Amino acid sequence: MASEATRGLLYQASTATFDFNNPSQALSELLDLIGKLLVVDRVALYELSEDQSAFVPRMAIGISTSELGKVTASSDNPVLKKALSKHRSASTENGKGALSLPLSPGSIACGPCVAGGQTVGLIFTASDSKKSYDLQEL
C-alpha cells in the first residue's frame, strides 16, 4: 500500500496543470514532478538530434546540462537498447550497467518519449543509491 507521501505526490501528478504556452516552464515543472514521484537525485530530458544519430541534453534537474554528453542512438547499453527498441522504460540493476549512461553513477532509469511511433527523446532519472528501480510500481 502506498504511503501518505506517495499518495500525495500521485494526487499532485494527476491534478498538475502545465502552461504549454510556456514550454520551457512546463517541461521544467514536469521534470521536477518526475524527480519527486520517483524520489531521485537527478532528472534529464534528451532530444533526438536533427540527423537522428544521437540524443542531446536539453533540460536537467540536479545536474547542469553542460555536464551531460550526447547519447548515441546506436548505443550497446542494454538499458538504452531496451528503451529504444521496445519503447518502454528500462533501468539498471543494482547500479550495474550505468557506466555509459548519462547521470551515472548510481541507479539509472530511462524512459522513451514517443511520438508517431518514433522515439523523439529520452528521460533519464538517477538515484545515488544502488537499489534497483521497481518499474512494475511505476
Side-chain angles (χ1 to χ4, degrees):
M1 183 167 200
S3 71
E4 189 69 29
T6 300
R7 284 195 299 270
L9 287 170
L10 290 172
Y11 176 78
Q12 181 184 348
S14 68
T15 59
T17 57
F18 300 106
D19 181 3
F20 290 103
N21 293 319
N22 186 345
S24 180
Q25 179 182 354
L27 286 171
S28 179
E29 290 173 0
L30 178 62
L31 292 182
D32 184 53
L33 183 57
I34 290 168
K36 288 178 183 173
L37 282 170
L38 298 180
V39 191
V40 294
D41 303 298
R42 298 171 300 284
V43 181
L45 174 65
Y46 278 68
E47 177 184 31
L48 185 62
S49 63
E50 283 188 34
D51 65 5
Q52 300 187 355
S53 66
F55 292 90
V56 294
R58 291 296 179 218
M59 301 187 89
I61 293 179
I63 190 170
S64 170
T65 54
S66 64
E67 294 179 53
L68 301 171
K70 291 181 181 180
V71 174
T72 178
S74 61
S75 171
D76 284 334
N77 182 285
V79 171
L80 193 55
K81 280 178 96 169
K82 183 177 181 181
L84 292 173
S85 66
K86 299 192 179 202
H87 293 220
R88 295 194 42 89
S89 297
S91 67
T92 59
E93 293 183 23
N94 298 319
K96 296 179 182 173
L99 193 55
S100 63
L101 293 173
L103 307 181
S104 64
S107 296
I108 298 175
C110 175
C113 303
V114 180
Q118 180 183 358
T119 301
V120 296
L122 299 168
I123 294 179
F124 287 94
T125 64
S127 173
D128 289 334
S129 76
K130 296 282 187 196
K131 76 172 195 146
S132 297
Y133 285 92
D134 184 355
L135 295 176
Q136 296 301 321
E137 293 181 9
L138 301 180

